Amino acid sequence: MKTSDFDFELPEELIAQTPLAKRDSSRLLVLDRKSGAIQHMYFYDLPKLLRPGDCLVLNDSRVLPARLLGHREPGGGAAEVLLLTDQGDNIWECLVRPGKKLKPGARISFGDGALTAQIVAVGEGGSRKVRFEYQGIFLELLDRLGKMPLPPYIKMELDNPDRYQTVYSKEMGSAAAPTAGLHFTQALLEQLQAMGVRLAYVTLHVGLGTFRPVKEEDISQHEMHSEFCTITPETAQIINETKANGGRVICVGTTSCRTLESWAASDGTLQAASGWTNIFIYPGYRFKVLDTLITNFHLPQSTLIMLVSALAGREHVLNAYQEAVAQKYRFFSFGDAMFVGNIIDEPEKKNPEALE
């Protein structure tokens, strides 16, 4: 298949720049993966689509305030560093600006010298290996000095940085939010648990490679970025029990999906696992664990829209995107959501209050 097969027209005004006041008030497009039938709901209607015995799989990674603004030493020229991957011994793989000025040996100061850094080497794709020097605890300094690394298509600063974190985020390490989870409130999660839906948590630290365009015209030639992920023994047990009892495994976000599919056995069972994954899921892939996906609307020609197309078919997905544009859904990180799976009941029975 060609990268251009996953293109669609998106008016710029539909790219959400800020989150809604209430997380679960976003709209929810429900797509039947087999028939392509579409329903229009709200995210707070999610309990109508789930049933006792289902399992929601959530990525509990937390976004680092990884964007550091400082000054070059000596001279005082402005410098920006974006943390990507912790390589140990206080060395991080980073993106830097201005790249021409920040060559090996260059030094940067942040927060009046509370944190300093030296460029150690040039990495792949123009990244830098950066050694940090500081007193105290690095993550506490990041909380004080760092800014949220919002995606490049978001032009506005956040009033409340916690809105770029899920309410269940715990494990610090992502350079971007697992955005499908941003729609959940604690009250909604408790409501789902009360009705018999089980919650299971995985960790995948999202890298900025998630925004990297597919440059190969033949998608099978695309080299996928690597990300670190973990499945705990408890999560593996919950998912195995769900499958054995006939429940559905519903992944919240492509990151949860990629984590499970990376480590599942051929029969769909899981064991505790931890490591790097570069799994690339596109049409033709046979899912081993996932039954249903909750996800946001993704960039044209991206690996993420290819993953959704692997689940529901390219034609169904692009038709759903066309409908979302026509109905003025909000797109990307702070936008609305999709529920992609086998729908239990007929649309008119499931959602009598659907949007027109």
Side-chain angles (χ1 to χ4, degrees):
M1 302 188 80
K2 296 181 179 180
T3 299
S4 56
D5 291 335
F6 298 89
D7 199 12
F8 64 92
E9 292 293 328
L10 178 66
E12 187 174 352
E13 62 267 21
L14 296 185
I15 300 174
Q17 293 296 312
T18 56
L20 296 177
K22 295 183 178 179
R23 289 176 182 262
D24 61 357
S25 62
S26 55
R27 295 167 75 182
L28 181 66
L29 187 149
V30 182
L31 174 63
D32 189 290
R33 60 182 288 199
K34 290 187 176 179
S35 69
I38 293 171
Q39 304 174 53
H40 299 290
M41 304 175 73
Y42 287 98
F43 203 84
Y44 53 67
D45 292 319
L46 185 62
K48 300 177 183 178
L49 294 166
L50 304 185
R51 61 192 179 205
D54 285 343
C55 174
L56 274 181
V57 183
L58 306 134
N59 181 8
D60 65 4
S61 182
R62 188 167 177 82
V63 184
L64 285 164
R67 184 170 168 243
L68 290 164
L69 305 178
H71 298 279
R72 303 192 302 274
E73 295 182 336
E80 180 176 338
V81 172
L82 183 64
L83 305 178
L84 296 180
T85 308
D86 183 357
Q87 301 192 333
D89 295 327
N90 294 330
I91 294 177
W92 284 72
E93 180 187 6
C94 302
L95 297 178
V96 301
R97 289 196 303 182
K100 292 182 179 180
K101 300 283 188 179
L102 296 174
K103 298 178 180 179
R107 297 188 63 84
I108 310 169
S109 175
F110 309 94
D112 296 324
L115 177 66
T116 59
Q118 182 175 19
I119 309 299
V120 176
V122 177
E124 294 183 4
S127 67
R128 301 289 192 273
K129 294 183 186 298
V130 180
R131 178 184 291 112
F132 289 93
E133 300 169 5
Y134 54 90
Q135 297 291 325
I137 299 173
F138 186 63
L139 291 181
E140 290 183 357
L141 283 170
L142 276 187
D143 276 338
R144 180 160 63 87
L145 301 175
K147 294 180 176 291
M148 279 295 164
L150 296 177
Y153 47 76
I154 293 178
K155 310 302 181 185
M156 300 177 64
E157 291 283 345
L158 273 181
D159 292 334
N160 179 6
D162 278 344
R163 291 306 308 272
Y164 197 55
Q165 306 279 15
T166 63
V167 297
Y168 48 81
S169 63
K170 182 175 64 173
E171 302 295 336
M172 191 74 79
S174 278
T179 54
L182 295 178
H183 306 281
F184 285 92
T185 64
Q186 193 59 48
L188 181 58
L189 291 171
E190 291 172 1
Q191 180 183 356
L192 293 171
Q193 285 182 291
M195 62 179 276
V197 175
R198 303 184 74 178
L199 305 183
Y201 294 92
V202 297
T203 303
L204 181 142
H205 292 314
V206 186
L208 289 181
T210 191
F211 302 114
R212 183 186 301 165
V214 178
K215 296 181 179 179
E216 303 289 343
E217 179 61 10
D218 179 353
I219 65 173
S220 66
Q221 299 302 308
H222 175 67
E223 184 176 345
M224 194 73 172
H225 60 284
S226 295
E227 293 166 314
F228 192 83
C229 58
T230 301
I231 300 172
T232 65
E234 178 184 10
T235 287
Q237 180 180 346
I238 291 172
I239 292 172
N240 290 339
E241 290 174 355
T242 297
K243 300 291 279 189
N245 294 332
R248 295 175 299 171
V249 173
I250 299 161
C251 288
V252 176
T254 57
T255 59
S256 297
C257 166
R258 292 178 64 242
T259 301
L260 297 190
E261 295 294 324
S262 293
W263 302 108
S266 58
D267 63 356
T269 58
L270 288 164
Q271 295 182 345
S274 185
W276 293 88
T277 180
N278 63 351
I279 189 171
F280 180 20
I281 297 174
Y282 55 89
Y285 180 85
R286 296 179 64 87
F287 290 88
K288 294 174 286 188
V289 187
L290 175 143
D291 297 302
T292 299
L293 179 68
I294 296 172
T295 188
N296 279 20
F297 292 91
H298 302 296
L299 290 161
Q301 301 189 25
S302 64
T303 60
L304 305 180
I305 194 173
M306 293 172 189
L307 185 153
V308 181
S309 297
L311 180 62
R314 185 183 71 91
E315 293 79 8
H316 289 338
V317 170
L318 290 180
N319 181 61
Y321 271 56
Q322 185 176 7
E323 172 71 4
V325 169
Q327 297 295 327
K328 299 189 182 303
Y329 274 67
R330 303 167 78 246
F331 275 68
F332 305 161
S333 295
F334 288 138
D336 296 314
M338 295 180 72
F339 182 96
V340 185
N342 297 328
I343 310 307
I344 302 169
D345 298 326
E346 294 297 325
E348 61 270 18
K349 294 180 181 178
K350 176 52 59 183
N351 183 31
E353 300 176 356
L355 297 173
E356 293 297 323

